[in-house]
Amino acid sequence: MSAQLPACQLLERYYGNAAQLWPIAPLSDPWLIEHSTAMVSGDVALRGQWEARDKVAVSPFDAPFVQQAGQVVLFWPKAHQLGIWWLEWLCRMLPENTPVDVVGEHQGGIKRVPKILSELGMRCDKLDNARRCSLFATRTVAIDTPDSGWQHFEALGMTLVSHPGVFGHGKVDEGTQLLLQAVETALDARPRKALKVLDMGCGDGIISAWLAARGHQVTAVDVSAFAVDACRRTLAANQLDGQVLESNVYTALEGQHFDLIVSNPPFHQERDVSYGPSARLIEEAPSHLTDKGQLMLVANTFLPYPGLLERTFGSFETLADNRRFRVYHAQLEAQPQESRKHGRQASSKRR
């Protein structure tokens, strides 16, 4: 088995097939999984790929931290500040002078790494360069400063807590604002009652906090451990309640049903466009909605969600359109209980 992704191909070229690596924030590549002793990632879906091969896979927020065997290799993320956070995290978690290699694509910012390492007081040696990727070697240093990754800011009358790598870090996304305006209008047009709401892809928790502040029972999920922790911190900062879970779309929500699912779904995996999670969000929504339950989501106008909504719900409406983003609304028609049961079983088989 050979590596498929450029950064992993560079690792294969440098380390060979005897490689025993401990990747940090890795990419999904079968060769890398095969040659990993363990891994650390904020992405619960990626961790599942390693766990399926009986490899240790943990979140950076898991405690207690246990160092694993293998050469530490940090995959440089596209979010510059997140890369710095990972370097500082490694320096806090690992003994001083532990060898760490850093790999990444040139278009992903790996060329910045020598300067960043210098600013952190870490050495830097270039090991290899191929496939428009570079591999650098460094060693951990002692860091006694507190974790500075968390950022607090005010928006929509709330305190939001964010972290590098979390969607919309440090600001309120234009699409989210349009979605909340549409949700407010739609809910104001209906009899006021507390709804059981799912915030799918919660990010820093702005949608969850906004809904919880209006008395709704909120469950928030995200594939990212950084987002999950940010959402929990946002709810706590505003003295609001809500359940927040790591979940690869609906995987952590077996048997749960909601009156309303709200989402500003991502369509990027690092630099690649990926519609898979958003497609699952739409296609599996009926099996997680109550009778007459609703789905509201915002998306860039060019994304192919209308067809998915039409096939899944039979019809949908556009609640808002500012030429860059559209807010879509679909509602599940009431069905006989037996029909609902069969529909959920079919959805479960698709998963």
Side-chain angles (χ1 to χ4, degrees), residues 21-316:
L21 308 177
W22 183 25
I24 311 298
L27 305 174
S28 176
D29 189 293
W31 179 89
L32 181 63
I33 298 174
E34 176 68 24
H35 292 277
S36 295
T37 58
M39 67 92 91
V40 181
S41 175
D43 188 314
V44 68
L46 279 177
R47 296 203 303 269
Q49 295 180 27
W50 266 255
E51 290 167 346
R53 296 290 301 276
D54 295 323
K55 309 273 187 176
V56 174
V58 299
S59 159
F61 303 115
D62 287 346
F65 173 79
V66 179
Q67 183 175 352
Q68 303 293 325
Q71 171 63 49
V72 180
V73 180
L74 170 63
F75 282 73
W76 193 253
K78 71 172 184 178
H80 173 75
Q81 290 299 319
L82 181 58
I84 296 173
W85 183 89
W86 275 116
L87 286 171
E88 293 179 342
W89 180 86
L90 286 166
C91 288
R92 291 189 182 94
M93 295 295 109
L94 300 176
E96 188 175 356
N97 210 37
T98 299
V100 173
D101 292 346
V102 185
V103 69
E105 296 185 31
H106 294 167
Q107 65 178 2
I110 189 67
K111 291 183 177 180
R112 294 179 173 181
V113 165
K115 181 180 179 182
I116 292 169
L117 291 173
S118 175
E119 290 171 348
L120 292 173
M122 302 172 72
R123 60 181 290 180
C124 180
D125 298 306
K126 189 169 185 176
L127 299 179
D128 203 354
N129 175 48
R131 305 289 297 173
R132 296 183 180 177
C133 299
S134 290
L135 177 65
F136 297 99
T138 187
R139 289 179 177 267
T140 56
V141 296
I143 290 182
D144 55 10
T145 57
D147 184 346
S148 60
W150 297 105
Q151 176 180 340
H152 292 67
F153 65 103
E154 302 297 317
L156 305 184
M158 300 180 293
T159 299
L160 303 181
V161 186
S162 189
H163 191 281
V166 174
F167 174 73
H169 174 53
K171 63 181 184 298
V172 181
D173 172 71
E174 179 186 358
T176 297
Q177 293 186 61
L178 189 68
L179 174 62
L180 290 178
Q181 292 167 6
V183 170
E184 184 169 38
T185 300
L187 293 183
D188 283 349
R190 300 171 184 271
R192 287 188 175 273
K193 68 171 185 176
L195 301 176
K196 188 176 181 183
V197 183
L198 172 64
D199 178 6
M200 177 65 74
C202 59
D204 61 19
I206 181 173
I207 295 174
S208 293
W210 188 90
L211 289 163
R214 284 155 178 77
H216 300 293
Q217 181 183 343
V218 175
T219 296
V221 299
D222 203 292
V223 73
S224 165
F226 294 99
V228 166
D229 208 13
C231 185
R232 288 173 178 158
R233 291 171 182 247
T234 289
L235 290 172
N238 293 280
Q239 300 181 316
L240 297 169
D241 295 324
Q243 180 185 39
V244 190
L245 304 169
E246 277 188 276
S247 183
N248 182 12
V249 194
Y250 296 104
T251 53
L253 301 169
E254 188 68 33
Q256 296 191 49
H257 304 97
F258 303 90
D259 302 310
L260 174 63
I261 298 174
V262 181
S263 184
N264 182 353
F267 61 94
H268 281 111
Q269 182 70 33
E270 283 291 316
R271 287 173 298 280
D272 297 328
V273 174
S274 174
Y275 301 131
S278 297
R280 285 184 58 199
L281 160 66
I282 294 169
E283 292 169 345
E284 297 177 22
S287 64
H288 291 278
L289 287 170
T290 57
D291 285 342
K292 295 188 177 181
Q294 304 170 71
L295 170 67
M296 295 186 193
L297 63 89
V298 64
N300 295 79
T301 55
F302 65 85
L303 293 172
Y305 298 156
L308 286 170
L309 290 164
E310 188 78 35
R311 288 194 296 272
T312 303
F313 288 89
S315 63
F316 71 96

